[in-house]
Amino acid sequence: MSSQTPHGTPTATGSGEAAGAGGQLEGPRALLLDAGVPIASYYVLTGVFGMSTLAALAWSGALPAARSVWSLARERRFNAVATLMTATNVIGLLLSLVAGDERLMMAKDSAVSSTFGLAVLVSALIGRPLMAPMLKPWITKGDAAKSAAWDRLTAESAWFRRVQRRHSAVWGAALLSECVARVIGAFTLPVDTMVWLGTVMMIAAIVVAIVASAAVGIEKMEKMVTAEAAAHTEAEAHAGAEAAVAVPAPNAGAAPAGTAAR
């Protein structure tokens, strides 16, 4: 077993159990709160309520900014996704101050995918995959035994950690590619075309990332987690049975305590 605790792995059994009991859906829930809600709210505020880009970016960035500050002040941890979304909105706000260029405003939308995608790609390259905590709940499906198996495999299996890095690299590359394609389209295609094509590009990038990440070993990773959880449960049951056999049975012929022998 490696003596160094990998990124995202609890350092003690108690902390792992606490995470499994109270945060089984933390990955998807955090992604929804920190990335999904701000992105969706931006489009709702601009498309449905007719807000300006500046106002929509400011309001949509309030939630990730608050969660980033809360994580640092209360939980003493760095919320990477929330901080990235906050930085993305700040970049968008600065770009929104550039007046008059409609194509530049369209290219600005790629700031979301490019900032997040670059961070995910860098995290994979330095061995601290940002997508691993988000992938874990989908693999373990909220099962405590599988969650513990994930942690053990992350600590012990170099292949398992390598797949986590590949998964993040695939998502980072897909999002960055979408960003480049959107910027090129914003300055070469008609504006009316890019209004709907930008959304199609984002959806296509997500689909490609899902398919490609499955090809890097996600299915085998899920099988490894299932097998590890089953093997650990069987080992614990076997150890419990051996312990029960090792306990000597009470002597049936011995006189009960406090009873005088005849």
Side-chain angles (χ1 to χ4, degrees):
M1 179 185 298
S2 174
S3 59
Q4 182 180 4
T5 303
H7 174 58
T9 303
T11 56
T13 304
S15 61
E17 291 174 353
Q24 292 171 352
L25 297 180
E26 179 60 23
R29 183 173 58 193
L31 183 60
L32 176 64
L33 290 175
D34 297 331
V37 171
I39 293 173
S41 62
Y42 168 77
Y43 286 109
V44 169
L45 291 173
T46 54
V48 178
F49 293 98
M51 279 191 179
S52 66
T53 299
L54 192 68
L57 282 170
W59 281 107
S60 64
L63 178 60
R67 279 177 55 80
S68 180
V69 173
W70 174 267
S71 297
L72 286 175
R74 184 63 183 268
E75 302 174 7
R76 298 293 190 272
R77 69 180 180 88
F78 176 69
N79 189 327
V81 178
T83 303
L84 281 173
M85 292 307 300
T86 302
T88 296
N89 279 346
V90 170
I91 293 172
L93 287 169
L94 293 175
L95 288 176
S96 297
L97 298 177
V98 181
D101 194 333
E102 192 176 30
R103 292 184 178 275
L104 181 60
M105 289 298 97
M106 296 188 66
K108 170 195 61 60
D109 290 338
S110 65
V112 174
S113 55
S114 63
T115 304
F116 187 75
L118 180 61
V120 171
L121 188 58
V122 170
S123 73
L125 295 176
I126 65 176
R128 299 178 65 85
L130 188 62
M131 295 293 288
M134 303 174 192
L135 176 63
K136 178 180 177 180
W138 300 108
I139 296 291
T140 62
K141 297 177 174 61
D143 184 87
K146 289 184 178 181
S147 181
W150 170 285
D151 294 336
R152 288 192 299 273
L153 287 169
T154 299
E156 300 172 5
S157 172
W159 183 90
F160 200 82
R161 294 192 296 272
R162 187 160 56 249
V163 173
Q164 292 180 14
R165 293 195 299 271
R166 289 174 180 172
H167 175 260
S168 287
V170 164
W171 276 92
L175 292 175
L176 279 178
S177 298
E178 181 269 338
C179 165
V180 172
R182 184 180 295 195
V183 170
I184 293 174
F187 289 101
T188 58
L189 298 175
V191 173
D192 291 341
T193 300
M194 280 304 300
V195 168
W196 60 266
L197 186 58
T199 303
V200 173
M201 287 179 176
M202 172 64 78
I203 295 174
I206 293 174
V207 171
V208 169
I210 292 174
V211 174
S213 61
V216 301
I218 300 301
E219 184 176 352
K220 183 178 178 181
M221 175 185 281
E222 187 171 3
K223 291 179 179 179
M224 286 181 66
V225 168
T226 301
E228 169 67 18
H232 189 74
T233 300
E234 183 179 350
E236 285 187 334
H238 182 68
E242 287 184 342
V245 171
V247 174
N251 189 352
T259 303
R262 292 186 179 180

